[in-house]
Amino acid sequence: MKPLNLRVLIADDHPAVRIGIESTLRESSGVTVVGAARDSTEMMELLKLHDCQILVSDYAMPGGLHGDGIALFALVRQRYPLLKIVVMTMLDNPGIIHSLLDIGVPCILNKADSVSHLLPAVHAAYASGRYLSPSMAEIAARTAPHRPDAHAHAALSKRELEVVRMFVSGLTVTEIATLLHRSKKTISTQKGSAMTKLGILRDMDLVRYGMEMGLTNTSAAPVPPGLPVVF
């Protein structure tokens, strides 16, 4: 039988963390690290260059052209549906954990948990299984995802919902205006109108609402200017 050789790409904005992840993975003779990225820009470029099977990535990596968080992983899932993803994060937000599970990322590690969970998570991801490190498993078990009324946003116009989806996926009003070829004022007005209809006053509550409603999905992921955004 041919020995298993998993090709893994690493992405994290902290050099020491990248080195630590690579060192841990190299302890296994069945894993080959094909590259390491410091942000979403490098990550997407490396995914084009290398035929890898598993992505081990930090959740928050500011500065890249493709953003980070839910929107980035949704984009990766859209472009590389066969690629398995293991997310590592210091965040313990139940909404984030359940949103990752919702978009098909079932292997999630807390960086505060033992590094011994990394290799099992990589193998679980390869086998299309689920692996949550202890603290993540505890949060997921005691916080069933709370969903508001599934029809709560029915009053929103198509364009208002479009803006809300992109905003809660991490894009700024300016970025949304650029992607949709509308003015910043128009996007701000549509966002404000949507919040009024939803009875939401603060941006953080809008983001929470979007995560609870599962609006942070592939359709809201960033796309290059000039390409259609499909909803």
Side-chain angles (χ1 to χ4, degrees), residues 10 21 23 31 39 51 53 57 89 105 115 120 124 130 141 156 172 175 183 194 199 211 224:
I10 300 168
I21 294 173
S23 175
V31 175
D39 57 28
D51 178 23
Q53 299 159 299
S57 176
T89 181
V105 180
V115 71
R130 171 168 166 159
L156 302 185
T172 66
E175 290 170 335
S183 70
M211 295 182 69

Side-chain angles (χ1 to χ4, degrees), residues 29-190:
S29 59
V31 175
T32 297
V33 177
V34 300
R38 61 182 176 181
D39 57 28
S40 62
T41 304
E42 290 188 356
M43 186 184 83
M44 297 305 286
E45 287 301 317
L46 288 173
L47 285 175
K48 290 180 184 177
L49 294 174
H50 298 286
D51 178 23
C52 63
Q53 299 159 299
I54 300 168
L55 169 66
V56 176
S57 176
D58 191 5
Y59 181 88
M61 294 187 295
L65 293 177
H66 304 279
D68 59 3
I70 298 296
L72 173 61
F73 297 122
L75 177 64
V76 172
R77 293 275 297 150
Q78 182 183 52
R79 294 188 180 179
Y80 303 95
L82 299 181
L83 179 69
K84 311 299 184 181
I85 303 174
V86 176
V87 171
M88 302 182 67
T89 181
M90 287 296 293
L91 302 174
D92 57 2
N93 184 312
I96 290 175
I97 296 172
H98 288 294
S99 291
L100 285 169
L101 294 174
D102 286 346
I103 65 170
V105 180
C107 297
I108 311 168
L109 306 179
N110 190 320
K111 289 183 177 181
D113 289 332
S114 171
V115 71
S116 65
H117 295 285
L118 179 56
L119 277 170
V122 166
H123 285 279
Y126 175 73
S128 299
R130 171 168 166 159
Y131 193 100
L132 303 178
S133 65
S135 60
M136 293 304 188
E138 179 184 356
I139 294 170
R142 62 180 167 82
T143 57
H146 170 70
R147 301 286 187 187
D149 180 358
H151 302 288
H153 58 258
L156 302 185
S157 70
K158 181 179 179 180
R159 289 195 169 188
E160 288 168 348
L161 182 57
E162 180 180 51
V163 169
V164 169
R165 279 176 164 163
M166 298 181 79
F167 182 79
V168 301
S169 292
L171 299 181
T172 66
V173 168
T174 300
E175 290 170 335
I176 296 171
T178 300
L179 288 170
L180 299 183
H181 306 292
R182 302 175 198 161
S183 70
K184 183 178 177 180
K185 181 179 179 180
T186 296
I187 298 300
S188 294
T189 298
Q190 291 169 341

